[in-house]
Amino acid sequence: MGKGHSHGGAIPSAAGRHRKPLYAALALTLTYMTAEIVGGIWTGSLALIADAAHMATDAGGLGLALFAIHFAQKAATPQKTYGYLRTEILAALINAVVLLLLTIYILYEAYKRFLSPPEILGTPMLAVAAVGLIVNLVSMKLLSAGSSESLNVQGAYFEVLSDMLGSLGVIAAALIIMFTGWTLADPIIGAGIGLFIVPRTWKLLNQAVHILMEGVPAEIDLPLLEKALREIPGVTAVHDLHVWTITSGTDSLTGHLVVSDMKDAAAVLKRAKAVLEDKFKIDHVTLQVEDEEIRAAEPVLRV
């Protein structure tokens, strides 16, 4: 039997390449969050307070993302052979759960305010929300590139996106209150902000759970991959094939290739490695080669 294992030292982290934008977004978020909390209490606006709560969640999410990146770069150990790369996925999972819980709180608070609308100061509410919109747009720009590569960064990006939408909602509520005096616009729009982000957050939660359950990456067509390996000259069968994501941007594969002649094992492994890298972008590979005759002679356990 033989093995082919493609590796190149430490496994890279997709989120690690976007650490500086995360730090910049965190600084902006913390600065504006403080101002928004003060503004929310001053104006009495639920929409503004909801947006401030989202900003607090953003700060926590960005902090978790940076914490995860720090741990992901720690070296592997005999007990943790992949190191701490999965902390990025755990951070994304925590972000999604916290955001869903926050949405439930906002809906509850909106219900209470709908029954008993408080007095709201529209003009300062508008000014604070306008600054928040600018801050969120800048943060989104900083995180946009990393969000397509890392679930960890994507979680932070979605939270900033939700805040951007929240700022738009607060601006709309402030304008309605200023020109019509209809204060119910505030809890209604506050609730709408919470509901709008649920589908995106749910998708992020599902992706994180799928990775933790070691499901096949969404971009990998497993039957097509198996077919490509079977078409390699000398390969007669493929079995025990597994593909999973270690962390965002890093997929891993293990499998057994049955060959008609063990003299071709080295060539088969080389070709298989090329197929997996070129067609499926998988370069962390462990393959075991088996002799067709020996495998055919092995007793089959029947239940």
Side-chain angles (χ1 to χ4, degrees):
M1 294 189 183
K3 289 188 179 181
H5 189 186
S6 171
H7 58 86
I11 300 172
S13 163
R17 295 191 292 271
H18 302 279
R19 181 190 298 182
K20 288 184 179 179
L22 281 168
Y23 273 117
L26 178 59
L28 286 170
T29 299
L30 287 173
T31 301
Y32 181 67
M33 180 191 71
T34 304
E36 197 168 35
I37 290 172
V38 174
I41 295 172
W42 176 30
T43 63
S45 166
L46 173 64
L48 198 55
I49 291 173
D51 202 35
H54 276 157
M55 293 294 277
T57 308
D58 287 353
L62 290 165
L64 276 172
L66 289 164
F67 177 79
I69 290 171
H70 170 72
F71 267 88
Q73 293 177 335
K74 294 174 74 69
T77 69
Q79 291 74 35
K80 294 180 176 61
T81 55
Y82 281 125
Y84 295 82
L85 288 170
R86 279 287 173 87
T87 54
E88 295 190 50
I89 308 305
L90 290 173
L93 179 67
I94 293 171
N95 284 348
V97 171
V98 169
L99 204 51
L100 287 173
L101 292 175
L102 182 60
T103 299
I104 293 172
Y105 166 76
I106 291 171
L107 292 175
Y108 171 71
E109 191 66 25
Y111 170 74
K112 291 200 304 181
R113 291 191 173 217
F114 188 79
L115 296 177
S116 180
E119 182 180 352
I120 299 170
L121 303 177
T123 302
M125 174 183 169
L126 176 63
V128 175
V131 175
L133 177 62
I134 295 171
V135 169
N136 288 318
L137 288 173
V138 172
S139 295
M140 285 177 63
K141 179 65 175 177
L142 289 170
L143 299 175
S144 60
S147 67
S148 63
E149 297 182 22
S150 164
L151 270 187
N152 189 19
V153 180
Q154 187 181 112
Y157 178 84
F158 279 164
E159 289 188 353
V160 174
L161 171 63
S162 73
D163 269 334
M164 186 276 291
L165 297 172
S167 295
L168 289 174
V170 176
I171 290 172
L175 291 172
I176 291 171
I177 292 169
M178 288 171 60
F179 288 102
T180 70
W182 190 50
T183 57
L184 284 179
D186 180 66
I188 290 173
I189 289 178
I193 292 169
L195 289 174
F196 187 84
I197 63 172
V198 169
R200 291 173 175 79
T201 305
W202 189 255
K203 180 181 178 182
L204 175 64
L205 181 66
N206 284 335
Q207 287 178 311
V209 170
H210 184 73
I211 289 176
L212 292 173
M213 294 294 291
E214 297 192 345
V216 176
E219 70 277 9
I220 300 295
D221 184 332
L222 194 60
L224 182 63
L225 187 152
E226 184 174 348
K227 181 174 181 256
L229 291 175
R230 282 177 175 165
E231 290 176 348
I232 295 173
V235 174
T236 60
V238 177
H239 65 96
D240 290 334
L241 189 62
H242 302 281
V243 186
W244 70 98
T245 298
I246 300 171
T247 190
S248 299
T250 305
D251 296 332
S252 188
L253 177 146
T254 62
H256 292 205
L257 304 179
V258 181
V259 297
S260 56
D261 190 338
M262 285 298 290
K263 290 186 296 184
D264 299 328
V268 166
L269 285 174
K270 183 177 180 181
R271 178 59 181 158
K273 178 178 178 293
V275 167
L276 292 169
E277 288 185 354
D278 297 341
K279 292 187 177 181
F280 300 95
K281 310 305 178 187
I282 303 174
D283 57 9
H284 194 265
V285 174
T286 301
L287 291 172
Q288 180 169 307
V289 178
E290 299 178 357
D291 189 293
E292 183 180 38
E293 291 184 4
I294 295 177
R295 179 170 174 78
E298 290 177 350
V300 178
L301 178 63
R302 301 186 184 277
V303 180

